[in-house]
Short mmCIF file of all heavy atoms in Angstrom, two decimals:
data_model
loop_
_atom_site.label_atom_id
_atom_site.label_comp_id
_atom_site.label_asym_id
_atom_site.label_seq_id
_atom_site.Cartn_x
_atom_site.Cartn_y
_atom_site.Cartn_z
N LEU A 1 14.65 75.83 18.30
CA LEU A 1 13.73 76.04 17.19
C LEU A 1 13.58 77.51 16.84
O LEU A 1 13.26 77.85 15.70
CB LEU A 1 12.35 75.45 17.53
CG LEU A 1 12.27 73.94 17.71
CD1 LEU A 1 10.87 73.56 18.20
CD2 LEU A 1 12.60 73.22 16.43
N CYS A 2 13.76 78.39 17.85
CA CYS A 2 13.59 79.84 17.66
C CYS A 2 12.23 80.15 17.04
O CYS A 2 12.12 80.93 16.09
CB CYS A 2 14.71 80.41 16.80
SG CYS A 2 16.34 80.29 17.55
N SER A 3 11.19 79.53 17.59
CA SER A 3 9.85 79.72 17.06
C SER A 3 8.83 79.50 18.16
O SER A 3 9.02 78.64 19.03
CB SER A 3 9.60 78.73 15.92
OG SER A 3 8.24 78.73 15.53
N ASP A 4 7.74 80.28 18.11
CA ASP A 4 6.64 80.09 19.05
C ASP A 4 5.58 79.13 18.53
O ASP A 4 4.55 78.93 19.16
CB ASP A 4 5.97 81.44 19.36
CG ASP A 4 6.82 82.28 20.30
OD1 ASP A 4 7.87 81.80 20.75
OD2 ASP A 4 6.42 83.43 20.59
N VAL A 5 5.81 78.54 17.36
CA VAL A 5 4.88 77.54 16.85
C VAL A 5 4.86 76.35 17.80
O VAL A 5 5.93 75.86 18.21
CB VAL A 5 5.31 77.09 15.44
CG1 VAL A 5 4.42 75.95 14.95
CG2 VAL A 5 5.26 78.27 14.47
N PRO A 6 3.66 75.86 18.20
CA PRO A 6 3.60 74.72 19.14
C PRO A 6 4.01 73.42 18.48
O PRO A 6 3.18 72.58 18.11
CB PRO A 6 2.13 74.71 19.57
CG PRO A 6 1.39 75.30 18.41
CD PRO A 6 2.31 76.34 17.83
N ALA A 7 5.31 73.23 18.31
CA ALA A 7 5.84 72.14 17.51
C ALA A 7 5.38 70.77 17.99
O ALA A 7 5.00 69.91 17.19
CB ALA A 7 7.38 72.20 17.50
N SER A 8 5.41 70.56 19.29
CA SER A 8 5.03 69.26 19.83
C SER A 8 3.57 68.94 19.55
O SER A 8 3.22 67.82 19.16
CB SER A 8 5.28 69.21 21.34
OG SER A 8 4.81 68.01 21.88
N SER A 9 2.70 69.95 19.72
CA SER A 9 1.28 69.74 19.48
C SER A 9 1.02 69.46 18.00
O SER A 9 0.12 68.68 17.66
CB SER A 9 0.48 70.96 19.94
OG SER A 9 0.56 71.09 21.35
N LEU A 10 1.79 70.06 17.11
CA LEU A 10 1.63 69.80 15.68
C LEU A 10 2.09 68.38 15.34
O LEU A 10 1.49 67.71 14.49
CB LEU A 10 2.40 70.82 14.86
CG LEU A 10 1.96 72.29 15.03
CD1 LEU A 10 2.66 73.17 14.01
CD2 LEU A 10 0.46 72.44 14.91
N GLU A 11 3.13 67.90 16.01
CA GLU A 11 3.55 66.51 15.80
C GLU A 11 2.45 65.55 16.22
O GLU A 11 2.17 64.55 15.54
CB GLU A 11 4.82 66.23 16.61
CG GLU A 11 6.07 66.94 16.11
CD GLU A 11 7.23 66.75 17.05
OE1 GLU A 11 7.11 65.93 18.00
OE2 GLU A 11 8.27 67.41 16.87
N THR A 12 1.80 65.85 17.35
CA THR A 12 0.69 65.01 17.81
C THR A 12 -0.44 65.02 16.80
O THR A 12 -1.07 63.98 16.53
CB THR A 12 0.19 65.48 19.19
OG1 THR A 12 1.28 65.48 20.11
CG2 THR A 12 -0.92 64.60 19.72
N LEU A 13 -0.73 66.20 16.23
CA LEU A 13 -1.77 66.30 15.21
C LEU A 13 -1.48 65.38 14.03
O LEU A 13 -2.36 64.68 13.53
CB LEU A 13 -1.87 67.73 14.70
CG LEU A 13 -2.79 68.72 15.40
CD1 LEU A 13 -2.85 70.02 14.62
CD2 LEU A 13 -4.19 68.16 15.60
N ARG A 14 -0.24 65.38 13.58
CA ARG A 14 0.10 64.55 12.42
C ARG A 14 -0.04 63.07 12.75
O ARG A 14 -0.53 62.29 11.93
CB ARG A 14 1.52 64.90 11.94
CG ARG A 14 1.60 66.31 11.35
CD ARG A 14 2.95 66.59 10.70
NE ARG A 14 2.90 67.88 10.03
CZ ARG A 14 3.28 69.04 10.57
NH1 ARG A 14 3.77 69.04 11.81
NH2 ARG A 14 3.19 70.17 9.89
N ARG A 15 0.37 62.67 13.96
CA ARG A 15 0.18 61.27 14.35
C ARG A 15 -1.30 60.93 14.49
O ARG A 15 -1.68 59.76 14.43
CB ARG A 15 0.90 60.99 15.68
CG ARG A 15 2.41 60.97 15.58
CD ARG A 15 3.03 60.33 16.82
NE ARG A 15 2.68 61.05 18.04
CZ ARG A 15 3.36 62.07 18.54
NH1 ARG A 15 4.45 62.51 17.92
NH2 ARG A 15 2.99 62.66 19.66
N ALA A 16 -2.13 61.96 14.69
CA ALA A 16 -3.57 61.75 14.85
C ALA A 16 -4.31 61.77 13.52
O ALA A 16 -5.53 61.68 13.49
CB ALA A 16 -4.14 62.83 15.77
N GLY A 17 -3.58 61.91 12.40
CA GLY A 17 -4.23 61.91 11.09
C GLY A 17 -4.73 63.26 10.65
O GLY A 17 -5.57 63.34 9.74
N ALA A 18 -4.22 64.34 11.25
CA ALA A 18 -4.68 65.70 10.93
C ALA A 18 -3.51 66.52 10.39
O ALA A 18 -3.27 67.65 10.83
CB ALA A 18 -5.29 66.36 12.17
N GLY A 19 -2.80 65.98 9.41
CA GLY A 19 -1.65 66.67 8.86
C GLY A 19 -2.00 67.99 8.20
O GLY A 19 -1.25 68.97 8.31
N GLU A 20 -3.15 68.06 7.52
CA GLU A 20 -3.53 69.31 6.85
C GLU A 20 -3.78 70.40 7.87
O GLU A 20 -3.37 71.56 7.68
CB GLU A 20 -4.79 69.06 6.01
CG GLU A 20 -5.21 70.25 5.17
CD GLU A 20 -6.12 71.24 5.90
OE1 GLU A 20 -6.80 70.80 6.86
OE2 GLU A 20 -6.11 72.44 5.55
N LEU A 21 -4.44 70.07 8.97
CA LEU A 21 -4.67 71.06 10.03
C LEU A 21 -3.35 71.49 10.66
O LEU A 21 -3.14 72.68 10.95
CB LEU A 21 -5.60 70.48 11.10
CG LEU A 21 -5.91 71.38 12.29
CD1 LEU A 21 -6.62 72.66 11.86
CD2 LEU A 21 -6.76 70.64 13.33
N ALA A 22 -2.44 70.54 10.85
CA ALA A 22 -1.13 70.88 11.40
C ALA A 22 -0.40 71.88 10.50
O ALA A 22 0.21 72.84 10.98
CB ALA A 22 -0.29 69.62 11.58
N ASP A 23 -0.49 71.68 9.19
CA ASP A 23 0.16 72.61 8.26
C ASP A 23 -0.48 73.99 8.35
O ASP A 23 0.23 75.01 8.33
CB ASP A 23 0.05 72.08 6.83
CG ASP A 23 0.89 70.84 6.60
OD1 ASP A 23 1.83 70.59 7.39
OD2 ASP A 23 0.61 70.11 5.63
N ARG A 24 -1.81 74.04 8.46
CA ARG A 24 -2.49 75.34 8.55
C ARG A 24 -2.10 76.09 9.82
O ARG A 24 -1.82 77.29 9.78
CB ARG A 24 -4.01 75.15 8.51
CG ARG A 24 -4.59 75.03 7.12
CD ARG A 24 -6.08 75.25 7.15
NE ARG A 24 -6.80 74.14 7.75
CZ ARG A 24 -7.74 74.28 8.67
NH1 ARG A 24 -8.07 75.47 9.14
NH2 ARG A 24 -8.36 73.20 9.15
N ILE A 25 -2.09 75.39 10.93
CA ILE A 25 -1.76 76.05 12.19
C ILE A 25 -0.29 76.45 12.21
O ILE A 25 0.07 77.53 12.69
CB ILE A 25 -2.10 75.13 13.38
CG1 ILE A 25 -3.62 74.98 13.47
CG2 ILE A 25 -1.53 75.69 14.69
CD1 ILE A 25 -4.09 74.03 14.53
N GLY A 26 0.58 75.61 11.65
CA GLY A 26 1.98 75.93 11.59
C GLY A 26 2.26 77.19 10.80
O GLY A 26 3.24 77.91 11.06
N ALA A 27 1.40 77.48 9.80
CA ALA A 27 1.59 78.66 8.96
C ALA A 27 1.00 79.93 9.57
O ALA A 27 1.20 81.02 9.03
CB ALA A 27 0.97 78.41 7.58
N MET A 28 0.28 79.81 10.67
CA MET A 28 -0.34 80.98 11.29
C MET A 28 0.69 81.84 12.01
O MET A 28 1.79 81.40 12.32
CB MET A 28 -1.42 80.53 12.29
CG MET A 28 -2.64 79.89 11.66
SD MET A 28 -3.80 79.33 12.96
CE MET A 28 -5.10 78.67 11.95
N ASP A 29 0.29 83.07 12.30
CA ASP A 29 1.11 83.98 13.09
C ASP A 29 0.92 83.63 14.56
O ASP A 29 -0.17 83.77 15.10
CB ASP A 29 0.70 85.43 12.83
CG ASP A 29 1.52 86.43 13.64
OD1 ASP A 29 2.48 86.01 14.32
OD2 ASP A 29 1.19 87.63 13.58
N HIS A 30 1.98 83.17 15.21
CA HIS A 30 1.91 82.79 16.62
C HIS A 30 2.51 83.86 17.54
O HIS A 30 2.82 83.59 18.69
CB HIS A 30 2.60 81.45 16.83
CG HIS A 30 1.89 80.32 16.16
ND1 HIS A 30 0.87 79.61 16.75
CD2 HIS A 30 2.04 79.80 14.92
CE1 HIS A 30 0.42 78.69 15.91
NE2 HIS A 30 1.12 78.78 14.79
N GLY A 31 2.67 85.06 17.02
CA GLY A 31 3.12 86.16 17.86
C GLY A 31 4.58 86.50 17.73
O GLY A 31 5.03 87.53 18.23
N GLY A 32 5.34 85.65 17.07
CA GLY A 32 6.76 85.94 16.90
C GLY A 32 7.59 85.50 18.09
O GLY A 32 7.19 85.69 19.24
#
């Protein structure tokens, strides 16, 4: 993935009905 975004946790968020929050967190700066 070459990314520090917590991809697995964002997938769980989407399955939990929190897709908008997943998009917001995915767009944040995770340190590079």
Side-chain angles (χ1 to χ4, degrees):
L1 295 174
C2 295
S3 170
D4 284 357
V5 174
S8 175
S9 293
L10 299 188
E11 291 173 9
T12 303
L13 272 186
R14 292 188 173 93
R15 289 195 300 272
E20 185 274 334
L21 179 62
D23 291 341
R24 276 197 288 132
I25 292 176
M28 291 177 179
D29 180 5
H30 294 272

